[in-house]
Amino acid sequence: MAGGCYSERSIERVRAATDIVSVIGRYVILRRAGRSIKGLCPFHKEKTPSFFVSPDRQMYHCFGCGAGGDVFSFLMNYLNFSFTEAVEELAAEAGVPLEKTGRDGSRTDVFREILAESHGFYRGRLAAGEGRRALDYLASRSISEGTIRKLGVGWAPEGSELSPYLQGRGYSDSQLIEAGVSLRSTRGSGVYDRFRNRILFPICDRRGRVISFGGRLLGSADSRKPKYLNGPDSPIYSKGNHLYGYREAASASRDLDMVILVEGYFDHARFVEKGFDCAVATCGTALTPSQARQIGGMASSIYICYDGDPAGQRAAVRAAEVLLEEGYLPRIMALPDRQDPDDYLRDRPDEAVLELVSAAGDPIRYALGLLGGWSSVQGTQRKVRVVQRLASVASKATEPVIRETLMKVVSEETGYSIETIRSEMEEENTGERRRAVQGDGGTLISPWDRSLLAGLLMSPDGLADPLIDYVQADDLRSDVAASILEQMKRQSKEGLSEFSISSLEDEEKKVCAMIMSVHFQRTESEDRDRIMKALDKFRLQRERKHLRSLLRSGEDENPEDIRRRIAEIEGRLLNM
Ligand SMILES: [Zn+2]
């Protein structure tokens, strides 16, 4: 892998100063077992640990899905970091200074400079003249000067003033556009400011450097303009990978052992105002897996505090599902009467936050509460649908203990037996689209496809591996993975011993390169058996699902045969 903009020597220093066990231990519960350290793999669903971390080799490897690599690739795969971001994060933690090689770095450095200069400009405007209106507005929403300073809030004036200011500092139009602060003028040439007449909240990276802004329109004179405007993705900012307020929240959540997820900048400011710096916000997107993992690494108690209107309530359950999928159990704070957290807390004492914390419930009880509780669910059909919906939320949990806990909650609340709910959940799981992870170059490939392909590509037997015959195109979920498989089969038939990727499409090449750069070579035939077993199980579950839907549709003439086949499949699944 390329060293990015830092010298190999300094990257090696960072590696030497970092302990992979303590870094991974923040995100995965690790246990010492004899000489090795293991835990449940964060990259695939499993019930018994096959994810090993080696302190001697400073590597990790999963025998279940084949994920593996060093501490840098862990952060890249788990948190979606770029290599450079992973190096910077660990260097900052270990206090190792980084030497630049001076090539690659200069490009992103320019954008960081532009954002830092823009931030200075906007903060200055808040203090002067026209910015008075913004200060008055903030005061009317009971945001104190202390909080304004702490959050680095700024003011973007009505006219286009930032662009000429930055041009005067020597930046080119295209740099300003790419950095996300300016837009190309529609008439003729030149650029103008993206943010105008807005209160600006700086969005920072994990090291506290400004990388974008979120802006609240002042007044509602022009209703064609969106009330909130977020900066676009740029070479230094991607919405789905950053959490607003992360840096300050990181240390506060460690101290309090809790983190509060909110939707908006003002909700966030309200918690800070109340003395709870442990709040973070998504920046105008639904919670992403990458953000969920960062939240999970901050503290062991996670609270979601979204708006109390129906849209906010739905978003809260959805965010909870993303956290469950990542192995965390969040609690949801319920707000009365369609209020948002900012409205609700504004005129209440600081202790109101603690009341919300202690009243917060698990996602199942919260979802049921939205329907008015179980007693208000009337009619058999409706009851079935509600239980299905609750089981579907519980089934999102990848951590077995959390799944079991939530399943018990569904059973306690509804009176349905655990067995019934369990079979509902299994149904849910086979039908579930397995979580897709981002490969290099933006190709989406699911962990399932990735582990199957890794099993094939990293075989010590090359194209002679019997697995290549065993895996079929419809075992794979994405077209790109299926196409790679087809070409392996073809080359294998032609008698080649090593897979040649030269004939592949660019997209396919990238997927292969990504897999080969992070996976170990398969060594034991035990791995092959494991993969075949996983495939057999997958195929049986797929068949069962198909048969069950046949039964439900009532179209087939021999339901007894179908039931017998399902029972047979279930017997086999039990013995796997
Ligand atoms: Zn795994």
Side-chain angles (χ1 to χ4, degrees):
M1 183 171 298
C5 56
Y6 299 113
S7 71
E8 284 300 328
R9 206 170 41 173
S10 58
I11 290 167
E12 282 318 308
R13 257 189 239 126
V14 175
R15 199 195 302 277
T18 302
D19 176 27
I20 192 169
V21 177
S22 72
V23 173
I24 295 182
R26 272 174 231 158
Y27 305 98
V28 180
I29 299 168
L30 295 172
R31 292 191 183 83
R32 199 168 281 274
R35 283 179 52 210
S36 57
I37 294 173
K38 62 180 179 174
L40 292 172
C41 177
F43 300 110
H44 82 283
K45 282 188 185 177
E46 62 176 4
K47 293 201 174 91
T48 48
S50 46
F51 179 83
F52 285 78
V53 181
S54 159
D56 303 336
R57 295 172 60 213
Q58 289 288 306
M59 302 284 260
Y60 68 96
H61 179 63
C62 171
F63 288 94
C65 69
D70 62 8
V71 69
F72 298 122
S73 58
F74 181 82
L75 290 183
M76 292 165 70
N77 286 305
Y78 192 70
L79 295 179
N80 251 351
F81 281 11
S82 68
F83 182 67
T84 305
E85 285 169 333
V87 170
E88 287 175 345
E89 168 103 357
L90 296 174
E93 260 176 39
V96 175
L98 288 168
E99 306 161 349
K100 298 225 152 149
T101 53
R103 286 189 324 272
D104 266 359
S106 52
R107 197 174 114 83
T108 48
D109 278 355
V110 168
F111 298 123
R112 289 212 179 86
E113 275 169 28
I114 291 175
L115 267 298
E117 295 238 20
S118 307
H119 185 217
F121 173 88
Y122 289 137
R123 284 186 90 168
R125 280 297 192 272
L126 185 67
E130 200 194 351
R132 197 66 241 170
R133 278 170 51 221
L135 280 176
D136 289 345
Y137 175 78
L138 289 164
S140 76
R141 291 193 67 162
S142 307
I143 304 292
S144 69
E145 281 182 32
T147 298
I148 292 171
R149 253 198 317 279
K150 195 170 184 175
L151 300 180
V153 179
W155 161 250
E158 288 203 78
S160 189
E161 296 179 26
L162 176 73
S163 300
Y165 168 79
L166 290 175
Q167 284 161 335
R169 313 270 300 168
Y171 299 106
S172 71
D173 288 2
S174 57
Q175 284 172 331
L176 299 186
I177 292 169
E178 213 176 336
V181 296
S182 302
L183 295 164
R184 186 165 303 286
S185 174
T186 43
R187 335 174 258 283
S189 59
V191 294
Y192 65 100
D193 293 2
R194 174 182 294 273
F195 297 102
R196 280 156 295 131
N197 192 27
R198 283 177 189 275
I199 290 170
L200 292 187
F201 296 88
I203 300 168
C204 301
D205 64 12
R206 288 165 64 101
R207 295 172 64 193
R209 297 173 297 190
V210 178
I211 49 175
S212 186
F213 296 101
R216 163 68 162 85
L217 190 66
L218 197 54
S220 50
D222 192 347
S223 57
R224 286 167 308 162
K225 294 212 174 82
K227 194 151 105 182
Y228 286 94
L229 181 68
N230 290 294
D233 281 8
S234 76
I236 53 171
Y237 173 57
S238 77
K239 279 189 187 63
N241 279 345
H242 290 103
L243 284 166
Y244 174 72
Y246 176 87
R247 191 179 156 83
E248 292 70 26
S251 60
S253 12
R254 252 197 309 277
D255 296 343
L256 298 166
D257 197 25
M258 76 176 199
V259 51
I260 303 170
L261 171 66
V262 298
E263 284 179 293
Y265 303 107
F266 279 97
D267 299 330
H268 173 269
R270 182 60 54 210
F271 277 104
V272 171
E273 191 72 45
K274 296 283 174 196
F276 288 80
D277 286 5
C278 57
V280 291
T282 53
C283 305
T285 58
L287 186 70
T288 64
S290 159
Q291 291 169 330
R293 291 164 177 191
Q294 296 184 49
I295 290 170
M298 294 172 79
S300 52
S301 296
I302 301 171
Y303 295 90
I304 297 171
C305 191
Y306 280 13
D307 290 359
D309 62 357
Q313 293 168 337
R314 274 195 303 277
V317 174
R318 185 60 210 126
E321 289 180 334
V322 176
L323 283 156
L324 288 170
E325 279 170 352
E326 297 305 329
Y328 306 106
L329 174 59
R331 271 169 282 187
I332 307 180
M333 296 172 170
L335 293 175
D337 306 329
R338 297 176 165 255
Q339 292 192 62
D340 63 35
D342 179 28
D343 293 334
Y344 178 79
L345 290 170
R346 191 176 308 163
D347 300 320
R348 287 183 162 80
D350 298 357
E351 293 73 45
V353 175
L354 295 174
E355 285 163 20
L356 284 179
V357 166
S358 60
D362 63 71
I364 301 293
R365 291 200 176 87
Y366 177 82
L368 193 54
L370 296 181
L371 303 168
W374 182 245
S375 57
S376 64
V377 179
Q378 298 295 328
T380 317
Q381 287 284 1
R382 175 116 179 92
K383 284 196 162 118
V384 169
R385 268 206 305 279
V386 169
V387 172
Q388 280 170 337
R389 174 72 190 115
L390 296 178
S392 141
V393 175
S395 76
K396 296 290 189 299
T398 49
E399 192 66 29
V401 179
I402 298 177
R403 262 168 94 85
E404 194 74 17
T405 307
L406 293 182
M407 211 156 73
K408 284 203 180 106
V409 174
V410 180
S411 170
E412 278 164 23
E413 295 287 328
T414 65
Y416 280 73
S417 75
I418 296 242
E419 288 67 40
T420 308
I421 294 156
R422 200 191 303 263
S423 63
E424 252 335 302
M425 284 169 62
E426 273 170 17
E427 192 93 333
E428 182 73 24
N429 271 338
T430 16
E432 162 202 352
R433 238 189 78 244
R434 284 177 172 79
R435 199 174 0 109
V437 294
Q438 193 94 16
D440 274 350
T443 308
L444 281 173
I445 172 160
S446 68
W448 171 258
D449 284 3
R450 180 146 93 155
S451 72
L452 274 185
L453 280 183
L456 300 173
L457 289 166
M458 307 312 278
S459 167
D461 304 325
L463 290 173
D465 193 314
L467 257 187
I468 292 174
D469 269 341
Y470 198 73
V471 181
Q472 297 302 317
D474 64 358
D475 294 327
L476 293 159
R477 291 172 171 264
S478 67
D479 293 344
V480 67
S483 164
I484 293 169
L485 172 71
E486 287 307 324
Q487 303 190 59
M488 293 187 89
K489 282 180 184 282
R490 206 194 60 220
Q491 290 186 19
S492 168
K493 277 209 189 76
E494 285 167 3
L496 296 179
S497 59
E498 291 294 328
F499 185 45
S500 153
I501 64 168
S502 59
S503 62
L504 304 190
E505 302 281 324
D506 277 356
E507 187 96 320
E508 296 160 359
K509 275 185 191 154
K510 273 185 201 153
V511 169
C512 290
M514 171 192 68
I515 289 171
M516 293 193 278
S517 68
V518 297
H519 289 268
F520 287 90
Q521 178 154 79
R522 260 176 50 212
T523 44
E524 303 151 56
S525 59
E526 195 195 320
D527 278 348
R528 181 182 305 147
D529 296 342
R530 211 186 287 266
I531 295 169
M532 287 183 166
K533 238 177 144 172
L535 260 178
D536 292 342
K537 197 170 168 186
F538 167 75
R539 290 169 179 168
L540 285 172
Q541 286 171 334
R542 187 174 55 190
E543 188 184 346
R544 180 180 61 179
K545 184 171 181 254
H546 171 70
L547 292 172
R548 280 182 177 164
S549 64
L550 262 184
L551 262 190
R552 267 200 300 267
S553 72
E555 278 167 17
D556 203 273
E557 285 157 18
N558 294 311
E560 273 321 301
D561 288 355
I562 295 180
R563 282 205 190 89
R564 215 170 299 126
R565 175 66 187 147
I566 290 179
E568 189 192 322
I569 290 174
E570 271 166 357
R572 286 179 62 186
L573 282 171
L574 269 181
N575 290 320
M576 290 183 105

